[in-house]
Every structure is written in C-alpha cells, then in structure tokens.
Amino acid sequence: DEQVMVGFVVHLNYQNPYLSPFDEFQRFKTHPFFKDTFEGGKRIAYGARALSEGGYQSVPKLSFPGGVLVGCAAGFVNVPRIKGSHNAVLSGILAADHLAGALGEDRGHDELASYEAAWRSSAIGADLKKVRNVKPLWSKLGTFIGIPLGALDMWTNTLGFSLFGTLKHGKSDAASLKPAKDCKKITYPRPDGVLTFDKLSSVFLSNTNHEENQQVHLVVKDMALQKASEHDIYAGPSNRYCPAGVYEWIEEGADAPRFQINAQNCVHCKTCDIK
C-alpha cells in the first residue's frame, strides 16, 4: 500500500556521550541511497525499543517461582539475522510443554526449572550458539574486521566448531561511555520537517499516553551524583540517548543546571535502564 517501515539500530555500547541515536536516524534518512524512498511521504507513526543483543552468553535465568521468561524478554534474538520471532514462538512452545508436564505430575506453586535446563539443548540454543561470537567480535574489532570474522565463525559453527570458542562481551553498555572531555562534540543538522523531524512531534505520533494522576516511574535517587557524574563528566548524555525527550538538562536561570524529567513522554524503550 505504498507504506514504508524503517528501523534504525544503534548499538548502545557507543563511547561518545555526544552521540544521539535519534539524530543519527534522522541523518540516515538524508543519505542519497535512501532519500528517494522517503521524499514526498508523510510520517504517520513512530516508536523506539531497546533490543536484547547479548545472545547465547547473556540469556538470564529463565525460571522463577510463579513464572518464566520467553521470547525477546529472555534475550532470544539472533542478532546477525535480525530475527527473534521464531525463537519467541519456540520458547513459548517449550515453556508450555514443560508446564503441561509439571501439571501432569500434579505439581504446583514451584519453579519450572526443567524449562531453564532445556533451552540450550533445544532448537533455540542451537540457533543462538552458532552466532554467539558475532556481537562480541563486532564490538571489539569494529564493522570492517568484526563482521567478516563473525561471518567466518558462523560458517565454522555449521561444521561443528569455532575458532574463537565462546567470547565474552566485555564492558557493559553503561561502562563503555567515555568522559566528554575525551570525545569530539557532534553537531546535528536542524530537522527540516520533510525528511527529518524533532523528537517531540515524533513522540506525539507514538500515541504514548499516561494518566494524569499516574505515579511517576522515573526517579533520581541522588541528584547530587546525577549532576557530578552524568552532567559534569559525561555532558548529560541522557538528553541524547533517550529517543523520547524524557530527560533534559536545563542550563538557564539561577539554579542551572537543573535536571528535568518529562515522564509523560516515556515510550518505555528501556534505553535509560541500559545506558
């Protein structure tokens, strides 16, 4: 129906605190290779979501009293193939099978530990194990070296072995940021309202809605630390990594800088939990 859905992924282990994933997405749309696709179109929707890219090495404990984790919540995304729906379905089936087995044994009010024990030997585990080193190689060696080596490792895994074993991911995404003084400031073009847009008008199109009396779910525990670290050392990256304009450092007035949280804008993408 002449509609285009476009997604743009920024890996959250980036180092420069001045980088803005939202603005990188806007700039991407102006590239000559893609520009013709969007010109003359009308923006009708917007959203943002954090992807669980850790894969095989990062899947958490999946069972607990009263529930289990399945699908993307469990981190079953196959990163190089950019797919997770197949494993989401398979994990639902696997959980249901083990749940049916437990009910058949008249069990209840306990932990479905058999599901936790079974996923690595299932089709999900086989799928994720083959691609387990792609993200670590990509992160450590960059696109031009890491991706070819990741592809080589995927190929050798189909033969039953890996040249690298199982690599670790290294630093967390939060720990990967460098202090602002060590980084070059990035200046992004102003949105033109045709191909590129601002955050707030985009959030409006996300149909985000919070009740007027809803309790604010974003709370700063230590405002002094927030200023001394996030603002003074890292130049306030929350103002940029949030794709919905929730966080602002107000630099005007006698009480500047002041940290402001616009919780009603939140699209619940979980980027701030990670970064």
Side-chain angles (χ1 to χ4, degrees):
D1 298 325
E2 295 188 340
Q3 289 189 345
V4 174
M5 289 185 69
V6 55
F8 188 82
V9 180
V10 175
H11 298 271
L12 292 179
N13 59 353
Y14 63 81
Q15 297 178 338
N16 189 337
Y18 291 111
L19 188 143
S20 165
F22 177 87
D23 291 302
E24 292 293 340
F25 174 42
Q26 302 309 309
R27 187 157 63 177
F28 154 77
K29 291 187 290 182
T30 66
H31 190 283
F33 190 81
F34 304 104
K35 190 175 181 180
D36 291 347
T37 303
F38 304 114
E39 281 187 325
K42 179 184 178 182
R43 180 182 50 146
I44 60 174
Y46 170 77
R49 179 63 56 187
L51 306 177
S52 302
E53 293 188 333
Y56 191 82
Q57 302 92 312
S58 300
V59 174
K61 188 173 184 289
L62 300 178
S63 61
F64 50 91
V68 294
L69 296 176
V70 298
C72 294
F76 287 149
V77 176
N78 184 318
V79 173
R81 294 192 170 93
I82 323 177
K83 41 184 306 202
S85 298
H86 63 311
N87 285 335
V89 172
L90 290 173
S91 64
I93 295 171
L94 186 66
D97 285 343
H98 285 268
L99 182 59
L103 292 174
E105 297 170 0
D106 291 326
R107 286 169 49 202
H109 305 288
D110 63 354
E111 185 175 331
L112 200 64
S114 59
Y115 166 67
E116 160 72 23
W119 80 266
R120 289 186 189 272
S121 59
S122 73
I124 303 166
D127 181 55
L128 295 184
K129 189 172 184 180
K130 290 177 183 177
V131 301
R132 67 191 182 280
N133 291 324
V134 172
K135 187 66 172 71
L137 286 167
W138 193 351
S139 296
K140 292 173 183 177
L141 301 176
T143 301
F144 296 109
I145 299 176
I147 291 295
L149 285 179
L152 174 64
D153 188 66
M154 286 170 61
W155 179 72
T156 60
N157 268 282
T158 62
L159 302 178
F161 71 96
S162 170
L163 297 172
F164 303 100
T166 299
L167 299 175
K168 294 182 178 180
H169 287 289
K171 290 182 179 179
S172 70
D173 293 344
S176 61
L177 267 190
K178 290 183 176 180
K181 65 179 179 59
D182 299 332
C183 300
K184 183 179 180 182
K185 193 168 185 177
I186 302 173
T187 303
Y188 292 100
R190 294 178 65 86
D192 60 17
V194 179
L195 279 181
T196 59
F197 303 94
D198 64 287
K199 281 185 184 179
L200 294 184
S201 67
S202 299
V203 172
F204 177 77
L205 292 175
S206 72
N207 292 318
T208 298
N209 183 48
H210 298 91
E211 298 293 335
E212 286 294 325
N213 60 351
Q214 182 173 327
Q215 186 175 352
V216 174
H217 66 291
L218 300 166
V219 180
V220 178
K221 290 185 178 180
D222 187 339
M223 193 61 78
L225 176 62
Q226 189 78 8
K227 180 187 178 301
S229 178
E230 208 248 329
H231 179 275
D232 295 353
I233 296 176
Y234 297 100
S238 62
N239 195 33
R240 292 175 286 275
Y241 63 58
C242 175
V246 170
Y247 304 104
E248 283 187 278
W249 281 101
I250 310 297
E251 302 282 357
E252 303 169 351
D255 58 347
R258 176 171 58 86
F259 193 53
Q260 178 170 298
I261 298 178
N262 308 305
Q264 70 276 16
N265 288 6
C266 184
V267 295
H268 305 277
C269 68
K270 303 303 178 188
T271 303
C272 57
D273 273 354
I274 299 166
K275 196 63 178 172

